[in-house]
Amino acid sequence: MSESRKVLDEYDAFQLLEQAGIAVVPTKLVCSQEQLAEAAREIGFPLVCKISAAGLAHKTEIGGVKVGITDMAELQAAWDSIMEQALQASVPRQDIRGVLLQPMISGGTECIIGGMRNDSFGPVVMFGLGGVTAEVYQDVSFRLAPLRRIDAESMIADTSASVLLSGYRGAAKGDVEALADLLVAVGTLIAGNERILELDMNPVVVQQRKVAVLDAMLTVSC
Amino acid sequence: MDANLSFLFAPSGCAVFGASKDPRKAGHQIVKNILDSGYDAPVTPVSLKGDDVLGLAGYSDLADIPHQVELVVMSAPAASTPMFLYQLERRMEVQHDVKALIIAAAGFAEIGTEAGIGYQQALVDFCRRYSIRMIGPNCVGAVDVYEHFNATFIADIAMHPGGISVVSQSGAVGAWLLMNWRSSPAGRVGFSKFVTVGNMADVDIIEALEYVGNDERTRVMGLYIEGSPQARKLVETLGSIAERKPVVVLKVGRTEEGAQAAASHTGSLAGNDAVYDGALKQHGIIRVRTIEELSDTMRSCDTLPLPAGNRFFVLTQAGGPGIFCVDEMAGSGKFSAPVITQASKSKLRDVLPPIASICEPEGHADITAAATARQHVDALEVLLRDDGVDGVFFITVATLFLDLEEMAEGIVSLMEKLASEGISKPVIPVIISGNWVKPARAVLEKNEIPTFESPDRGVRAAANLIFYAESRRSGA
């Protein structure tokens, strides 16, 4: 496959996911500092502020993500810091769209859900324990897309995420039903949309009564 | 393309091009194997000098053979391809009877030379022109036990009928499996069809699988594969066979195939082997890790009933091997301990020596070295009659005073008696160990009860049976 690829900004990725019926965490794109206050009122504190820039795959590494922001002063400071560090990291000024505001979600099990188009297998879905250490532990499982409900359930059971989600050491159980629904939806999306080359939803936080997609990266062919 | 590959397995007449009088040559062994397998249509050796081989009249030209030739096995050097095709073409213009080729010779595209690639292409072009089907080049051939036809150059295989069929990408691994069966306790393992595909210039592994998978005598399919550029089609083909019969796959090359270069976590985690793992499981296909597990699992699938559940009892006559078995069961995560009824427990106490340890813990009985052959069999009967038991690991260690053959015969009669009453559950006998126990194991294996070299091998085979049974029940 030698077609040209484009990494979609999180905001665009979220819009594509929402069109496919996949719920993501509420997200406001803020393009100027003047709009921060109104957007923050809509999202509510505490919140997360992330850089929004075209083609930027790893936001955390350049200091582009600030979490646990509790008031306007902190939010203003976060904006300044993110913009400064982005320019220091040589993110082209014209690529920076602004920031994304999202509610701060705490608790739950961090998982990763992925999709990709493999040269030999075609569309594939991945599930596992998420976060930045996903590649260290490789605690993931794969199935060919599209998925039946039973495939989604068995791929969850294949990883140690299933142990955490079943209420390990008194922790609250995770909403495995909603998680399985989400996996099926991702399978349908990647199987039905040949332009999608890679999809990372990481983290996907699984809580007792819901599943929240907190970040997504999509690579499409163009 | 003619989908019928039957002429590879059951031709009415065949010829061996490159036949030799020299027993060290593949061109000799192929003729010998065809003769020894009891093939009843004519076989003709063809060589430069037209030598007779093993009492068969030889020819120097395929076109001169007076009887029908539906299959030609080619074992001459690759450089003789032009001569081979010249003779074959003359035959097709006059008799036009050849339907299939087995190109056993090596030195074609697999060595990467211009000449090798050219010879292979010439074979392919010829086959397309005359609608001939071809396996190879660079393969060891094909076997159909029920057709009494062994067109391979494997030195020592037992043509015994059974329900296993094997498709192998590697000739060497296929030969490894079949030759190992010769050294099993009964000296043979029953099978149906065997085919190696080599370079896959015409018939590829997917087509071979589809053909063999449709064979009615095949009750379980085995596959050895290193990789396929059409992995999805391969897995889906296997999956459709697995809806009808168990499919067991030994897929190697786990470390070689790295993940595709990718920006995402998913892309960098998606090594082909990890995707194979999930895709095979998704389609209810059993994946094994070793030749031994492939063999054990295929034999179990062929002759044992599928377990109704995962409650396997450990009936052991010796402590150590029993613990070994329990550890392996726990490690597999596939089993749960059966809880038998009080009535069954008290029956076990009645039939076993007083020092036997019964159901402490549940699902486990150590009947001790004091147990006689009869007591082994009686205890097995109690367990198989208990509705809480889905299968039994039957572990015993040879002692000088235990009559192993009497025990084996007792198991055979017990299984027949229970089958007549409609009780059919898998029993995994592990009789330890070595040459001493081979006669007893042979008694069981001749009666279609596979035996296992060690508890861990028995556990893996049983776990694979459970996986297949579960995936059928869940409609996977």
Side-chain angles (χ1 to χ4, degrees):
Chain A
M1 278 192 246
S2 58
E3 78 276 2
S4 57
R5 320 159 60 92
K6 186 170 87 178
V7 177
L8 292 190
D9 173 25
E10 180 180 350
Y11 190 71
D12 294 337
F14 272 7
Q15 289 197 320
L16 199 148
L17 291 174
E18 285 194 312
Q19 280 165 21
I22 295 173
V24 295
V25 73
T27 302
K28 291 295 288 184
L29 172 64
V30 182
C31 298
S32 71
Q33 228 167 337
E34 294 72 47
Q35 298 168 349
L36 273 178
E38 193 193 333
R41 258 194 305 280
E42 280 184 44
I43 297 293
F45 293 105
L47 54 74
V48 178
C49 181
K50 300 174 180 175
I51 186 168
S52 175
L56 182 62
H58 300 290
K59 297 183 282 283
T60 312
E61 283 86 334
I62 63 152
V65 180
K66 306 287 173 199
V67 301
I69 297 167
T70 55
D71 59 30
M72 270 313 294
E74 281 179 36
L75 183 55
Q76 294 287 359
W79 171 284
D80 292 340
S81 162
I82 285 172
M83 291 306 158
E84 193 189 323
Q85 292 190 58
L87 293 177
Q88 271 177 19
S90 308
V91 178
R93 189 180 291 269
Q94 67 274 17
D95 287 354
I96 302 176
R97 300 167 82 178
V99 298
L100 301 180
L101 300 188
Q102 297 169 343
M104 181 82 194
I105 309 258
S106 345
T109 305
E110 280 198 357
C111 297
I112 179 170
I113 293 176
M116 74 171 303
R117 216 160 274 286
N118 175 296
D119 291 349
S120 180
F121 282 104
V124 166
V125 177
M126 183 187 83
F127 170 77
L129 272 181
V132 289
T133 55
E135 280 166 50
V136 180
Y137 297 110
Q138 303 199 1
D139 192 355
V140 292
S141 62
F142 294 87
R143 294 292 186 272
L144 305 187
L147 305 184
R148 297 163 303 173
R149 176 85 190 179
I150 189 177
D151 299 325
E153 287 162 3
S154 94
M155 75 189 294
I156 297 168
D158 273 359
T159 71
S160 47
S162 64
V163 181
L164 299 176
L165 293 172
S166 64
Y168 180 71
R169 289 195 168 221
K173 287 185 182 178
D175 190 345
V176 177
E177 292 285 309
L179 180 59
D181 289 341
L182 177 56
L183 283 166
V184 171
V186 168
T188 306
L189 171 67
I190 185 132
N193 192 335
E194 292 200 353
R195 279 190 65 214
I196 300 177
L197 302 177
E198 289 175 47
L199 164 66
D200 264 357
M201 293 170 20
N202 184 28
V204 173
V205 170
V206 185
Q207 297 181 322
Q208 200 169 2
R209 291 190 208 290
K210 70 169 179 196
V211 170
V213 179
L214 300 192
D215 199 348
M217 192 182 83
L218 253 170
T219 308
V220 295
S221 62
C222 50
Chain B
M1 190 89 357
D2 184 358
N4 189 354
L5 306 183
S6 65
F7 300 105
L8 291 163
F9 298 96
S12 298
C14 67
V16 179
F17 183 89
S20 172
K21 289 192 291 189
D22 181 349
R24 290 169 301 179
K25 293 267 173 72
H28 181 89
Q29 187 68 34
I30 294 169
V31 177
K32 182 172 187 300
N33 279 349
I34 294 172
L35 279 181
D36 288 353
S37 55
Y39 180 61
D40 60 7
V43 191
T44 307
V46 178
S47 60
L48 276 179
K49 293 186 199 150
D51 290 332
D52 294 353
V53 177
L54 294 164
L56 297 170
Y59 286 77
S60 61
D61 192 327
L62 286 166
D64 296 340
I65 299 171
H67 62 75
Q68 195 175 25
V69 177
E70 286 189 337
L71 170 74
V72 181
V73 185
M74 196 274 208
S75 73
S80 62
T81 302
M83 160 81 86
F84 173 64
L85 290 180
Y86 172 72
Q87 294 186 6
L88 208 52
E89 181 163 23
R90 287 179 44 230
R91 183 159 193 101
M92 292 310 285
E93 292 307 323
V94 183
Q95 291 99 330
H96 39 80
D97 54 355
V98 178
K99 307 285 202 307
L101 302 178
I102 293 176
I103 310 297
F108 292 86
E110 81 280 4
I111 59 168
T113 63
E114 201 179 319
I117 293 166
Y119 293 142
Q120 181 163 318
Q121 192 56 49
L123 288 168
V124 171
D125 292 344
F126 185 87
C127 287
R128 298 271 146 85
R129 182 144 46 101
Y130 290 100
S131 294
I132 290 172
R133 301 313 309 273
M134 168 174 74
I135 57 168
N138 187 31
C139 69
V140 305
V143 182
D144 190 320
V145 174
Y146 291 92
E147 297 291 343
H148 305 284
F149 190 63
N150 172 5
T152 70
F153 54 90
I154 300 173
D156 186 28
I157 62 179
M159 297 282 284
H160 187 74
I164 297 172
S165 283
V166 176
V167 174
S168 180
Q169 196 172 8
S170 154
V173 172
W176 176 3
L177 181 73
L178 264 50
M179 292 176 81
N180 256 5
W181 285 348
R182 200 80 174 94
S183 67
S184 65
R188 43 125 169 123
V189 169
F191 69 105
S192 174
K193 285 181 163 65
F194 168 82
V195 59
T196 68
V197 291
N199 293 0
M200 303 191 269
D202 175 31
V203 176
D204 69 2
I205 204 139
I206 290 171
E207 199 181 350
L209 284 166
E210 280 171 344
Y211 181 76
V212 178
N214 281 328
D215 173 32
E216 283 179 9
R217 291 176 179 128
T218 299
R219 291 186 292 262
V220 49
M221 276 284 313
L223 169 67
Y224 169 85
I225 191 166
E226 284 138 26
S228 168
Q230 301 179 81
R232 176 176 285 250
K233 193 175 173 208
L234 173 74
V235 169
E236 287 174 351
T237 302
L238 293 170
S240 76
I241 299 170
E243 287 171 13
R244 290 167 279 145
K245 54 190 86 173
V247 177
V248 191
V249 173
L250 176 57
K251 155 81 179 68
V252 298
R254 279 192 271 164
T255 50
E256 268 174 37
E257 299 167 283
Q260 293 175 25
S264 64
H265 290 293
T266 305
S268 61
L269 285 163
N272 264 353
D273 195 75
V275 182
Y276 264 110
D277 225 45
L280 291 172
K281 188 181 267 191
Q282 182 175 11
H283 287 83
I285 299 156
I286 302 167
R287 182 173 188 182
V288 296
R289 300 293 178 186
T290 62
I291 284 280
E292 289 76 21
E293 190 184 359
L294 175 65
S295 175
D296 291 340
T297 304
M298 289 192 301
R299 299 177 68 188
S300 301
C301 287
D302 185 22
T303 51
L304 297 178
L306 284 178
N310 68 352
R311 300 164 304 172
F312 272 59
F313 200 100
V314 179
L315 179 68
T316 183
Q317 168 250 32
I323 296 168
F324 208 108
C325 185
V326 170
D327 279 359
E328 292 291 325
M329 290 166 77
S332 82
K334 276 277 169 207
F335 298 89
S336 63
V339 179
I340 59 173
T341 61
Q342 286 307 324
S344 295
K345 286 178 190 175
S346 99
K347 272 187 216 156
L348 281 181
R349 256 176 238 114
D350 290 344
V351 300
L352 287 172
I355 56 168
S357 151
I358 295 163
C359 297
E360 293 168 352
E362 292 290 353
H364 185 278
D366 185 342
I367 67 176
T368 78
T372 63
R374 188 69 251 158
Q375 287 171 319
H376 276 81
V377 178
D378 288 346
L380 180 60
E381 178 167 6
V382 171
L383 294 171
L384 291 173
R385 287 186 182 282
D386 190 296
D387 289 340
V389 172
D390 298 316
V392 177
F393 290 104
F394 179 96
I395 302 167
T396 196
V397 175
T399 56
L400 289 174
F401 44 87
L402 175 62
D403 189 334
L404 288 172
E405 277 158 85
E406 182 196 333
M407 182 192 76
E409 277 153 14
I411 294 174
V412 171
S413 335
L414 170 64
M415 299 311 283
E416 279 168 7
K417 181 173 77 173
L418 291 176
S420 72
E421 296 176 32
I423 299 174
S424 177
K425 298 176 183 180
V427 173
I428 309 288
V430 182
I431 305 175
I432 300 170
S433 143
N435 287 339
W436 181 264
V437 304
K438 272 199 171 179
R441 291 177 62 187
V443 169
L444 291 168
E445 297 205 344
K446 283 181 178 158
N447 285 282
E448 309 299 338
I449 301 172
T451 64
F452 298 82
E453 204 67 44
S454 59
D456 49 306
R457 283 178 59 173
V459 166
R460 278 197 290 277
N464 290 336
L465 284 181
I466 291 172
F467 165 79
Y468 184 71
E470 283 174 352
S471 74
R472 293 321 313 143
R473 280 197 290 272
S474 69

